[in-house]
Amino acid sequence: MPALDSMGGEEEPDLVPFRLNRLMAAWNTRLEALLAERGAGFAQWRVLMVAARAGRALTIVELAAHTLVPHSTLSRQIAAMERDGLLRRGRHAADGRAVSVELTARGRARYREWLPLALEEAEAGLAALDPAERALLLRLIDRLEGAVAPPQTSASIA
């Protein structure tokens, strides 16, 4: 994307985070449309994906950190997903004050149903890269995550 000329004839610097954000917004919008065709919401997908990949119960704070959804918004989403039988809330085993969230069998089945859509959309975008470029992209993402991501107190989920 060409830089907008707003510095009086000087070329604007290339703001990589902004470009990556635009790219992911476009990619997520495409996945959101595929999910909507099946009556699914993108927010539900994100919560189910993180919960399924965690392989254990997560606190709402952990879910918020991994889904990038604000705690208050996530709490409402979790309540709705619990009513739909996709998630189960309970007291956290290690900290009784915290709420833990885990997938139900129905939630895991829904995740497995929607996973091919996410993989299909990922492949549609990555098709522009050859295998060596894909491998390089993954290595670069790992390096960038290590450079800018806050330290995790638990194992990576993404």
Side-chain angles (χ1 to χ4, degrees), residues 30-45:
R30 291 169 50 125
L31 176 57
E32 186 173 20
L34 289 174
L35 289 166
E37 290 172 5
R38 288 152 178 88
F42 186 75
Q44 281 185 334
W45 157 252

Side-chain angles (χ1 to χ4, degrees), residues 1 15-29:
M1 180 174 133
L15 297 171
V16 173
F18 176 72
R19 291 183 64 194
L20 289 173
N21 190 42
R22 286 177 44 93
L23 173 64
M24 290 317 308
W27 219 335
N28 287 339
T29 297

